[in-house]
Amino acid sequence: MLVGNVLLCVAALIGVSCFAVWACRRPWANSAIYGASAVFCAVALAGAIAALVGGAASTLTLPLGLPWIGMHFRIDALAAVFLCVVNLGGAAAGVFALGYGRHEHAPQRVLPFFPAFLAAMNLVVVADDAFAFLLSWEFMSLTSWALVVSHDRSAETLRAGLIYIVMASFGTLSLLLAFGILAGPDGHYAFSWMRARGPNPNETMIAMFLVLFGAGSKAGIFPLHAWLPLAHPAAPSQVSALMSGVMTKVAVYAFVRIVFDLLGPIDWRLGMVVIGVGAVTALLGVLYALMQHDLKRLLAYHTVENIGIIFVGLGLALAFRANGLTAAAALAVTAALFHVFNHSLFKSLLFFGAGAVQAATGERDMDRLGGLMHTMPRTAVTFLIGAAAISALPPLNGFASEWLTFQAAFLSPSFPQWGLRLLTPASAAILALSAALAAACFVKAFGVTFLGRARSEAVNLARETDKASQFAMFALAGACGVAGVFPGFFTNLLGPVAQFLTAARIPAQAIAAPWSPLLPVAASHNSYSGFVIAGCLIVATAVVAFAIRLVANGASRRGAAWDCGYPDASAMTQYTAGSFAQPIRRVFATIAFRAREMVFMPAPGDTAPAEFKATLHDPAWDLLYTPVGKAVGFLADSLNRFQFLTIRRYLNLVFLTLVFLLTVLALWP
Amino acid sequence: MSTFAFDVSHFLAGSLVLLSFFLLYQDRLPPLINIFAAQSLVLAVSIAWQAQTQNAPHLLVTAGIALCFKSIVIPFVLYRLIRDLRIHRTVETVVGIGPTMIAGMALVGLSMALMMRATSGIADLAREDLAFSLSVILLGLLMMVTRRNAVSQVIGFMSIENGLVLAATGAKGMPFVVEMSVAFSVLIALIVIGIFLFRIRERFDTVDVAILDRFRGERP
C-alpha cells in the first residue's frame, strides 16, 4: 500500500505540526521540528520513488470528510512524480532550515505551519476526489498564507498577505466551479467517475478556462501572478523556496491532473491558448525580474517565467494530442514535467542562497550588497550553479529540459493547422528570448550581489552560512548537475507519466553508458549529451588552467581596481541592479512597462545634486487589478445602504423578492 | 382516495385560506387572536382528517400538538400579553384594506398558477394542499409586511407556520421529528417574542415597530 505509506507520512507531519504548537518556544524546537519534517519528507520521497518505479496505481478510501462518501486517495505515475518534487523540496527546505531557522525572531509563528504546509501539499497530490482535493488545496493556501504573514510587523507584508489570500480564494472558487462542471448533474465527486463520464465540448472548454484561472493563479501565470512577487519574498526563506519551488508545481499538477486526465479530448484551439499564455508569461516574467533590485523578488519573478516555460510545454502537448500526434505530445509533456522537477531544484537552491545572504547581512536589496564572494564563498558557488542552471546553461539541468521543450516546438511543422504552425515557432522564439534575458538577469543578480566591492558595512561583517544550510545548498547544486549530465535517466522515469497522459512515450534512453546522448525523437534527429559537454567543459577548463599556471607567474597579488580615471573610487560607483538593466529597460520595458527616464539638472551655478528618475508601470495592475478593485469598491459602497434599513423594509424586501421569484417561476415557459 | 375524502380535505384547506383573509383585514387585536385560534383549530382538524385518510396515526399527535399549542396555549398567552400591555382596545391603522385584499387575492392566484404547474404528476390532493398552503404562507407574509403592531406581526408569523404544517402533512411521509421540532421552535419563538415585547414596551412605551426604528443605534 504505497498510498498508505504516504498518508502515514502526512499524518506524521500533521502530528509534528501539532507538537510544534506546544514545543515552539523551547530552545531545541527548531532542530526537532525541521529535522522531523525533513525525515518524514524523505520517507514520503522514498515511497514516491517506489511508486514511480513500481508503476502500479495504488488507491485507498478513508472514512473521513463527507459521511458515507469518505475521502479517496490514489497514487499513479503522475502523482508519484509530483510527490517526488514536493518531498524532495520539502526535505531540502527542512535541512536548510535546521540552521537557517535559528535566525527566526518569532519561531512560534513559523514552526507549527511549516510541517502542516508540507502535509497539505502532499495531500493535494494524492487526493482522488474533488472534495479531498479542494479541502487539501485550501489547507495548503491557508498554511502558506500563515507563513507569508509570519513577519507581520510591516505593512508591506500585510498587503502581500491580503493580496495572496484574495487571489487564493479566487483560485479555489474557479477550481470549485470547474469540479462542479466535471461532476455533472449527478454530482459525483470521485475522479474515477469524472474520468469515466467525459464532459461535452462546451463543458470541456469552460472547465479548462476555469482550471487555467484556478491553477494558474496559484502557479503565477500572467496576469494572475500579482500576488506571487509580493508573497514569496515576504515569507521566511525556507518557505519562499517551498512556495516558489514546490507550491507552484502543485498548481501545475492540478492543471495537468484536471486538463489532461479528467477532461478527456481537448480542442487544439485551447492548446493554442495555453501556449500563448505560457509564452507571454515567460517573457513578461523575465522582464519583470530584470527590473527588480530586491533579490528575493527577482527570484519570485523568475518563477513566473519558468511557469510560462512549463505551460508552453503543456500547451504544446495539448495541441499535439488533439491532432493525434501522440509521440510529439509525449515529448512536450516529458519536457514540461522535467522542467517542473528541475525548476523545483534550482529555484529552491537560489532561494536558499538568497536566504543565506539575507541572514548574513540583513539585506535583500542588491544595491546594498556586493562582494559577498569573499565573505561567503560557498554560498556564492552554489548560487552561481543555481543561476547557471536557471539560465539554461549546459551541462546543467535547466538546459536539458528547455532543450527538450524546443525539440517539441521543432516538431510544429507536423501540425495540420496553420495557426499552430505559426504560433509554435513564434512562442519558441519568445522562449529563446526569455532564456537569454534570464541569463542577463542572473549575470546581474550574481554580479551585483556577490562580485565587486561591498556597498554597505553589513556585507563586510557577513559570515559564511551554517553547515546545515550549506549541506542543503550543495546537495541541490549536485542534484542540478546530476539531472543535467544524465537527463536520460530522468526522462525514462517520466515515461509512464507520458504514457498515462498522452498514450505514448519518448524513446527509452540508453543509460548504461554515461556518455550515451539524449535522443528525444529518434536517432536521426537532434541529440544532446550532457555528459560529453560536461566532460569537454572540464577538460577545456583544466587545459586553460594548466596553461595559465604554466605560462603565468604563480604568485597572486592584489592591486587597486582600475578606476577609469575617476579619483573617487567609492563602492557606490559600481554597477547597480538598475544601471545594469538600463539597456534592457530601454529596449523592452519602454513598451511593456511604459518605462520612462527623467533627468533633472540643476541650473548652472546651483549646487543641488542632479537627479535621475526611472518610472515603471505594471500592466497587470494598471489594466486589471486597479479597475477591478475600483469596481468592487463602488459596488460595496452602493450596497452598503442595505446595512441600515428598518425591520419593516427588510421584511418588505424579503416578501417582494419571494413574490417576484414565484412570479418568474409561474411565467417560466 | 374517495371523492368524499378529497372534498373534505379540500374544504378544510380552503377554510384555512379564508381565515388567512380574515386575519388580513381584522384591525383589532382580540378578534385577530380569535381568528388565529380558529385557523389553528381548522388546521388541527385538517391534520386529523389526513391521519384518517392516509392511515398515518402519528399525524394524530401532530394534530394534538396543533390543537393544544396553537389553538389554546398560544392564543391564551397572547391574550394575557395584550391585556398586560394594555393594548387590547387599540384599533390598529391598517394600510388600505381594499388594496391589501386585492394583493392577497393576487397572491392566491399566483400560488395556484405556480403550484398547479410545478406539481403536475403527483396526487391531486397533494397538489391542492400545496397550493393552499403556499397561499397561507404568502398571506401571512403579506400580513407581516402590512402591519405595524408587533403582536399582529407575531400572529402573521404564526400563521405562516400553519401554512408550513399544512404543506407538510399533505405530503405523505413527513418525519415526525420535523413536525415536533417545528412546533417547539414556534413555542420558543413565542416566549422570546413575548419577553422582547415587554422589554420593548418598558423601554419605549410602545410596540409600534415604526417607532422602534427611530431607536436603532446604527442610524445617525
Side-chain angles (χ1 to χ4, degrees), chain A residues 48 84 113 121 187 197 214 227 295 305 313 328 357 393 429 464 469 550 602 625 628 630 641 662:
Chain A
C84 289
F113 297 109
M121 289 194 290
R197 177 170 164 266
W227 63 274
L295 189 54
E305 183 226 344
V357 168
L393 294 183
E464 181 58 278
S469 304
L550 208 65
Y625 293 98
V628 167
K630 274 187 187 155
R641 289 190 297 127
L662 288 175

Side-chain angles (χ1 to χ4, degrees), chain B residues 20-100:
Chain B
S20 279
F21 273 103
F22 285 10
L23 286 175
L24 208 52
Y25 79 79
Q26 183 53 258
D27 55 0
R28 282 174 300 156
L29 286 178
L32 200 65
I33 297 172
N34 288 342
I35 295 167
F36 172 71
Q39 194 188 32
S40 304
L41 186 68
V42 174
L43 178 72
V45 174
S46 160
I47 299 169
W49 185 256
Q50 292 287 351
Q52 182 68 24
T53 55
Q54 290 182 13
N55 259 338
H58 70 269
L59 280 182
L60 284 175
V61 182
T62 312
I65 292 174
L67 186 71
C68 290
F69 286 154
K70 283 201 215 134
S71 65
I72 298 172
V73 176
I74 292 180
F76 180 70
V77 172
L78 285 175
Y79 258 120
R80 293 252 332 248
L81 202 66
I82 60 169
R83 207 187 56 218
D84 294 353
L85 289 169
R86 294 174 203 291
I87 51 174
H88 56 291
R89 284 183 202 286
T90 49
V91 177
E92 204 180 344
T93 47
V94 179
V95 274
I97 298 275
T100 313

Side-chain angles (χ1 to χ4, degrees), chain A residues 487-544:
Chain A
F489 178 71
F490 294 87
T491 56
N492 281 355
L493 280 178
L494 290 172
V497 189
Q499 185 77 42
F500 172 61
L501 296 176
T502 61
R505 57 202 293 173
I506 65 169
Q509 307 297 327
I511 50 175
W515 56 82
S516 49
L518 185 64
L519 299 164
V521 184
S524 58
H525 282 63
N526 297 339
S527 65
Y528 162 69
S529 171
F531 184 81
V532 172
I533 289 187
C536 290
L537 280 174
I538 290 169
V539 168
T541 315
V543 166
V544 170

Side-chain angles (χ1 to χ4, degrees), chain B residues 70-198:
Chain B
K70 283 201 215 134
S71 65
I72 298 172
V73 176
I74 292 180
F76 180 70
V77 172
L78 285 175
Y79 258 120
R80 293 252 332 248
L81 202 66
I82 60 169
R83 207 187 56 218
D84 294 353
L85 289 169
R86 294 174 203 291
I87 51 174
H88 56 291
R89 284 183 202 286
T90 49
V91 177
E92 204 180 344
T93 47
V94 179
V95 274
I97 298 275
T100 313
M101 296 304 277
I102 291 172
M105 281 184 252
L107 287 178
V108 174
L110 173 67
S111 53
M112 287 291 171
L114 179 70
M115 277 302 169
M116 289 299 140
R117 273 195 52 198
T119 60
S120 56
I122 65 169
D124 279 344
L125 177 63
R127 295 176 67 184
E128 297 277 342
D129 255 2
L130 284 174
F132 282 133
S133 58
L134 184 60
S135 310
V136 173
I137 292 169
L138 288 178
L139 289 175
L141 258 177
L142 182 62
M143 185 177 161
M144 286 185 80
V145 170
T146 51
R147 297 305 178 102
R148 300 178 59 173
N149 188 305
V151 176
S152 10
Q153 287 195 340
V154 171
I155 291 176
F157 175 73
M158 301 273 172
S159 81
I160 291 178
E161 204 269 338
N162 279 350
L164 286 176
V165 174
L166 178 68
T169 53
K172 277 186 189 171
M174 181 178 80
F176 184 61
V177 191
V178 178
E179 164 60 16
M180 287 294 290
S181 48
V182 170
F184 280 111
S185 66
V186 167
L187 264 188
I188 289 171
L190 177 80
I191 295 165
V192 172
I193 291 168
I195 294 169
F196 262 95
L197 280 180
F198 272 104

Side-chain angles (χ1 to χ4, degrees), chain A residues 279 283 312 406 409-410 422-436:
Chain A
L283 182 59
V312 168
F406 281 111
F410 290 157
L422 293 175
L423 176 71
T424 310
S427 47
I430 290 177
L431 282 196
L433 175 62
S434 52

Side-chain angles (χ1 to χ4, degrees), chain A residues 553-624:
Chain A
N553 185 348
S556 63
R557 65 196 154 95
R558 203 171 257 267
W562 183 54
D563 54 7
C564 301
Y566 284 95
D568 176 21
S570 151
M572 301 315 282
T573 56
Q574 301 175 95
Y575 259 121
T576 61
S579 58
F580 188 90
Q582 190 189 38
I584 295 168
R585 190 171 69 225
R586 283 186 176 162
V587 174
F588 293 101
T590 310
I591 300 163
F593 304 136
R594 291 196 284 137
R596 298 289 179 271
E597 293 173 1
M598 278 169 288
V599 180
F600 301 99
M601 290 299 286
D606 191 350
T607 54
E611 242 183 279
F612 173 81
K613 205 171 178 182
T615 54
L616 291 174
H617 292 268
D618 186 336
W621 280 96
D622 284 2
L623 301 177
L624 183 67

Side-chain angles (χ1 to χ4, degrees), chain A residues 360-428:
Chain A
T361 62
E363 285 290 346
R364 270 171 22 199
D365 189 345
M366 293 193 289
D367 290 344
R368 297 181 56 76
L369 296 169
L372 280 169
M373 190 77 171
H374 304 295
T375 43
M376 306 176 73
R378 293 187 181 145
T379 306
V381 166
T382 51
F383 193 92
L384 182 61
I385 293 174
I390 198 172
S391 310
L393 294 183
L396 294 166
N397 57 351
F399 177 79
S401 48
E402 285 200 38
W403 182 79
L404 280 177
T405 310
F406 281 111
Q407 296 311 308
F410 290 157
L411 297 175
S412 63
S414 53
F415 278 125
Q417 295 92 359
W418 273 103
L420 277 170
R421 279 195 215 173
L422 293 175
L423 176 71
T424 310
S427 47

